[in-house]
Amino acid sequence: MPELPEVETITRRLKQVLPGKKIIDTEVLVDKSFIGSATQLEGKTIKDVVRRAKISSIVFEDNTYLATHLKMTGQLIYVDPQNRLGGGHPTADWVSELPTKHTRIRYRLSDDAELFFNDQRLFGWMKLLTQDEHDELFSAWGPDIIDDSVTTAFLQQKFSRRSIPIKQAIMDNAIVCGVGNIYAADSLNLARISPFRPANLLSEKEITVLLAAMKETIAKAVDMGGTTFDGNYVSIDGFAGGYQDEVLTYGRQGQPCYNCGTLLEKEKIAGRGTYYCPNCQV
DNA sequence: AATTATGTTGCGGT
DNA sequence: AACCGCAACATAAT
């Protein structure tokens, strides 16, 4: 479910509430959701929360990392009893009924706070790693799309021998991380480039335009707290994101392109639903 | 009933 | 060797 903006939103919010808290107790309700042994976490004190690609990681005082990949349907929900009655109410009403049938792991923290890992489809995981093992997670992946190292020249080199469609290329973690299906489609619409174009046939100018569009799209989505479709992605208190109200193409087949008014179409690329304008995306 | 779903990996073929 | 396409993971909604 989540792409970089959703994981970034969750990570920023966790960073506001978790540092200084200690893990008191762990409960793994579904074994496959936690890789390894969760009991090793008990007694560790949280120092920081960081994001890389679509992985959010809690960093402990001993420099070990509790990494989370939400995959398609994962959620991290934080419940602090001291804030429970204040500060508005969550978008999702199930937050007051945790654990739910989709809760796979729960952590009891100091001060009676709780952290829940929910995951309908069981693709997601949490895992305790050393710093080296955490670094290793990203060893085969390119930089985050928001990183300054992602330049036109960088992408041009990565695309140079790839005949795959450009949409598939920008979603490939080995090239660049953080661009998922929703933002790939929207970035290509903003750049007015067809998702079907072979990556190696884009001009330098087109790559420059596409890169700017990707950075702009991702930055806007981060500002809006991510995208919530079907109530699936929510932030740590159950609140929805806001980008779905601004989305350019995703889920808008049959509706007019904001660039040119032509009706958007939907086709599959590499097995993924792809929304695009058949007129202005060339 | 079949298709679809915001992600990634691993396999076999070229 | 590098690249590409496709199945697999598991569940729920349309």
Side-chain angles (χ1 to χ4, degrees):
Chain A
M1 157 205 81
E3 306 180 32
L4 185 150
E6 291 73 31
V7 182
E8 177 68 16
T9 300
I10 288 167
T11 301
R12 287 183 185 179
R13 304 283 312 276
L14 288 176
K15 187 169 176 155
Q16 292 172 344
V17 294
L18 290 186
K21 288 200 158 53
K22 183 184 285 192
I23 296 190
I24 305 297
D25 194 26
T26 61
E27 186 181 358
V28 176
L29 291 90
V30 174
D31 281 345
K32 96 179 280 278
S33 296
F34 196 101
I35 301 170
S37 167
T39 57
Q40 296 173 65
L41 289 161
E42 292 166 13
K44 288 182 186 272
T45 300
I46 295 167
K47 179 166 76 175
D48 199 3
V49 188
V50 298
R51 181 203 55 75
R52 168 76 166 89
K54 298 167 190 166
I55 292 174
S56 182
S57 302
I58 293 170
V59 189
F60 297 102
E61 295 284 4
D62 64 0
N63 290 323
T64 57
Y65 289 70
L66 175 57
T68 304
H69 202 309
L70 301 169
K71 291 289 179 86
M72 300 286 270
T73 56
Q75 301 169 327
L76 283 172
I77 305 296
Y78 174 82
V79 178
D80 185 338
Q82 281 141 349
N83 295 338
R84 215 166 198 165
L85 300 177
H89 53 84
T91 306
D93 53 11
W94 47 260
V95 168
S96 61
E97 296 159 15
L98 288 163
T100 69
K101 68 174 177 177
H102 297 311
T103 299
R104 312 308 187 189
I105 309 170
R106 68 188 293 183
Y107 302 91
R108 190 162 60 86
L109 310 176
S110 48
D111 304 325
D112 287 327
E114 284 193 286
L115 184 66
F116 295 86
F117 176 67
N118 291 351
D119 187 23
Q120 177 197 111
R121 289 172 71 179
L122 303 183
F123 289 177
W125 47 259
M126 298 185 81
K127 188 173 187 177
L128 178 61
L129 301 162
T130 65
Q131 191 156 19
D132 284 347
E133 289 167 340
H134 190 256
D135 290 346
E136 183 66 23
L137 284 179
F138 310 106
S139 62
W141 286 354
D144 284 358
I145 182 62
I146 58 176
D147 196 285
D148 290 341
S149 65
V150 181
T151 61
T152 298
F154 174 87
L155 289 181
Q156 192 166 30
Q157 196 276 326
K158 293 292 184 185
F159 293 162
S160 62
R161 281 181 304 275
R162 306 298 297 274
S163 63
I164 51 174
I166 184 61
K167 173 170 178 267
Q168 195 180 342
I170 61 178
M171 291 175 64
D172 183 349
N173 282 334
I175 295 176
V176 68
C177 291
V179 184
N181 204 33
I182 295 174
Y183 303 119
D186 270 23
S187 298
L188 286 160
N189 181 256
L190 193 58
R192 305 192 188 202
I193 293 169
S194 166
F196 300 99
R197 292 274 300 286
N200 56 343
L201 297 186
L202 265 65
S203 70
E204 183 177 343
K205 173 103 185 291
E206 288 174 319
I207 294 172
T208 299
V209 171
L210 176 57
L211 175 57
M214 288 192 284
K215 295 208 179 212
E216 181 180 334
T217 300
I218 296 288
K220 181 174 181 179
V222 169
D223 279 349
M224 304 198 71
T227 303
T228 301
F229 284 121
D230 303 329
N232 204 324
Y233 158 75
V234 289
S235 190
I236 65 168
D237 48 12
F239 278 85
Y243 186 85
Q244 64 280 3
D245 299 329
E246 304 277 326
V247 73
L248 300 179
T249 62
Y250 187 87
R252 295 193 63 248
Q253 71 274 31
Q255 297 177 248
C257 173
Y258 295 126
N259 289 329
C260 70
T262 304
L263 299 187
L264 299 178
E265 294 185 4
K266 178 183 181 183
E267 275 185 62
K268 282 205 170 183
I269 292 179
R272 311 298 300 276
T274 300
Y275 306 84
Y276 67 101
C277 175
N279 179 54
C280 71
Q281 289 182 248
V282 294

